[in-house]
Amino acid sequence: MALDATDHGAVIAFCHEHGVDLVVIGPEAPLVDGLSDSLRAAGVAVFGPSQAAAQLEGSKGFTKDLCARADIPTAGYVRTSSLEEARAALTRFAAPYVLKADGLAAGKGVVIADTLEAAELALADMFGGAFGAAGAQVVIEEFMAGEEASFFALTDGTHIIPFGSAQDHKRVGDGDTGPNTGGMGAYSPVPVLTAALQARVMAEIIEPTVRTLREDGMPYSGVLYAGLMLTAEGPKLIEYNARFGDPECQVLMMRLESDLAAVMLACAEGRLGEVAVALSDETALTVVMAAEGYPGTPEKGGTIALGDAEAGGAKVFHAGTALKDGALVANGGRVLAVSATGASVTEAQARAYAAVDAIDFQSGFCRRDIGQKEVAREAARERG
C-alpha cells in the first residue's frame, strides 16, 4: 500500500489499523512538515525530531542563529532575504564565497563561488527560483578551509549517545569536481576525526545544541548528523541534518552491531539512557551508482543486472530502482549504494568496487575515488 507522507491522517490511520508501534521518519521533508508531531499526538512513537526541532535542517539561518546564541564554533555568516541585500552582504566576505539556500534543496542548495561575479550570478539564480521556496532566503558564509567529516549522535532530548563518524563525497566527479550532489559515496569511521576531536565535537557542538533546543522548549529526539569542517582551530559545524543521511546511513548500518529497532524505540520513548550502541571496528565503504544526467535530469529506465555483486559479502542498497516487466530498472538519480567492509579503507574500497564492477548498469556511472584520501594516507603510513 502506497502512503502519501504529506497526508498525516492517512499515515495515522494506517498505523492504528496495522498496530504500528514505532514510525521511523527517514527523509527530511516529512520531518520539516511536522509528521512526527501528528503521529505523537495520535499516540504513536516516532524516531525523528519535532517540526520545531527539525528546523536544524529545514533552515540554515535557524541553525546559524542557534550557533551564535550557544557559542558553537561555525563559520561567520549573514542571513539575507532579497537579492539586493545579498549582493550588499558579499562585500563583507572574501572569495571563495559560500552561498546556501536557507530551506530544503535535496542536498544541492550550496554554491561555492570563486569570484564575486560568479557569486552574484549564483545569488540571482537562488532568488530567481533555482531552488524554489528553499531560496527565498540565502545564508552567506565565510569559507572554511580543512577536511570535511560527519559525526552522528542519538538523543532523546536529554541523553546523548555517539553514533560514529563518516566522510561523504558530495561532488559528482572524481577528484571532487563538478556540481554538488546528495552524496556519491562515503566511508566510516573517519580516522582524521580522532577520539580527541570527537570528544570536542560532543562538548562544543552536539551537547550545546541539544541543551539549547531543550531550553528553548523544542527538545530534539532522533539522530543528529553534524557536518563538520576540521579546521586548524578545531572542528566547526558546517550544518546539521535531522536524519541519518544517504549514503552515510549505509556505512553506519554496515558497522552497527546493536539492535537498531530497540535503540530507536528507546530514543522515541525517552529511554536512551537505558541502552548502548556497539559499532564494529571494521571500515565500511559505499559507492553510489547514479543514472547518467545526475544531478541534473537523470536518465530513467536503464536496465540493471546485479549479477553476483553480493557474493563476497557486499550489500547493494536500492535507492532509485523499480521493477518494469520483471526487470530491475533505474528510476531516480542516485540508483544504488554498493557497500562493503574491510579491515582498512583500502580493503573496504577494493571490495566495494569489485561489487560495483560485477553490476551491469549501462546507463549508470559512479565515482572511482571514494575514500581515496584515506587510502593514500594508509599507504603513506605503511611506507613509514
Side-chain angles (χ1 to χ4, degrees), residues 356-377:
V356 165
D357 292 338
I359 297 171
D360 183 4
F361 180 19
Q362 295 297 312
S363 63
F365 73 97
C366 69
R367 282 183 58 164
R368 303 296 306 192
D369 64 346
I370 303 302
Q372 196 59 42
K373 285 182 182 178
E374 191 56 38
V375 168
R377 285 191 283 252

Side-chain angles (χ1 to χ4, degrees), residues 2 9 47 178 381:
F47 181 84
R381 287 194 290 270

Side-chain angles (χ1 to χ4, degrees), residues 55-80 93 98-102 137-144 209 212-213 227 229 236-240:
Q55 290 180 91
L56 276 184
E57 179 167 5
S59 170
K60 304 291 191 301
F62 173 88
T63 298
K64 300 297 286 191
D65 289 350
L66 182 145
C67 288
R69 297 198 312 276
D71 198 26
I72 294 169
T74 189
Y77 73 103
V78 172
R79 296 180 70 173
T80 63
F93 298 86
V98 181
L99 316 172
K100 296 182 177 182
D102 181 73
Q137 292 191 31
V138 174
V139 175
I140 303 174
E141 296 184 3
E142 66 173 335
F143 180 81
M144 293 190 291
T209 298
T212 301
L213 288 173
M229 185 66 75
K236 295 185 179 183
L237 181 69
I238 300 173
E239 62 187 24
Y240 273 124

Side-chain angles (χ1 to χ4, degrees), residues 70-150:
D71 198 26
I72 294 169
T74 189
Y77 73 103
V78 172
R79 296 180 70 173
T80 63
S81 56
S82 71
L83 179 58
E84 294 72 21
E85 184 183 7
R87 282 175 170 163
L90 284 175
T91 61
R92 299 164 59 176
F93 298 86
Y97 303 90
V98 181
L99 316 172
K100 296 182 177 182
D102 181 73
L104 298 179
K108 304 168 192 172
V110 179
V111 175
I112 300 176
D114 292 327
T115 66
L116 181 62
E117 181 182 17
E120 290 179 338
L121 288 173
L123 286 172
D125 284 343
M126 287 180 164
F127 283 107
F131 299 108
Q137 292 191 31
V138 174
V139 175
I140 303 174
E141 296 184 3
E142 66 173 335
F143 180 81
M144 293 190 291
E147 187 164 348
E148 289 190 40
S150 302

Side-chain angles (χ1 to χ4, degrees), residues 126-305:
M126 287 180 164
F127 283 107
F131 299 108
Q137 292 191 31
V138 174
V139 175
I140 303 174
E141 296 184 3
E142 66 173 335
F143 180 81
M144 293 190 291
E147 187 164 348
E148 289 190 40
S150 302
F151 181 81
F152 299 80
L154 301 179
T155 179
D156 57 12
T158 302
H159 306 95
I160 306 173
I161 297 179
F163 200 85
S165 61
Q167 187 172 82
D168 190 12
H169 298 62
K170 285 290 188 186
R171 298 294 185 102
V172 73
D174 286 4
D176 293 324
T177 58
N180 271 331
T181 71
M184 295 300 294
Y187 67 92
S188 172
V190 183
V192 294
L193 189 57
T194 63
L197 287 177
Q198 290 186 48
R200 287 189 63 180
V201 172
M202 284 290 289
E204 299 174 16
I205 297 175
I206 302 294
E207 291 171 4
T209 298
V210 173
R211 182 174 60 251
T212 301
L213 288 173
R214 186 174 63 246
E215 291 172 349
D216 288 349
M218 52 182 82
Y220 191 101
S221 175
V223 60
L224 262 182
Y225 165 163
L228 306 170
M229 185 66 75
L230 306 182
T231 74
E233 296 81 34
K236 295 185 179 183
L237 181 69
I238 300 173
E239 62 187 24
Y240 273 124
N241 286 340
R243 58 204 160 85
F244 278 111
D246 172 22
E248 297 88 346
C249 183
Q250 287 90 325
V251 288
L252 291 172
M253 294 306 110
M254 292 290 285
R255 296 180 56 219
L256 182 65
E257 296 177 335
S258 305
D259 183 336
L260 180 62
V263 172
M264 285 179 163
L265 184 59
C267 186
E269 294 180 344
R271 300 182 291 103
L272 196 58
E274 301 174 10
V275 300
V277 171
L279 296 171
S280 166
D281 289 334
E282 281 205 310
T283 292
L285 185 142
T286 189
V287 179
V288 169
M289 299 188 75
E292 287 292 350
Y294 179 78
T297 302
E299 178 182 331
K300 294 186 178 182
T303 57
I304 304 166

Side-chain angles (χ1 to χ4, degrees), residues 254 307-315 339-342 347 351-352 354-355 358:
M254 292 290 285
D308 60 354
E310 295 187 333
K315 291 189 182 298
S339 310
T341 59
E347 186 173 281
R351 291 176 177 174

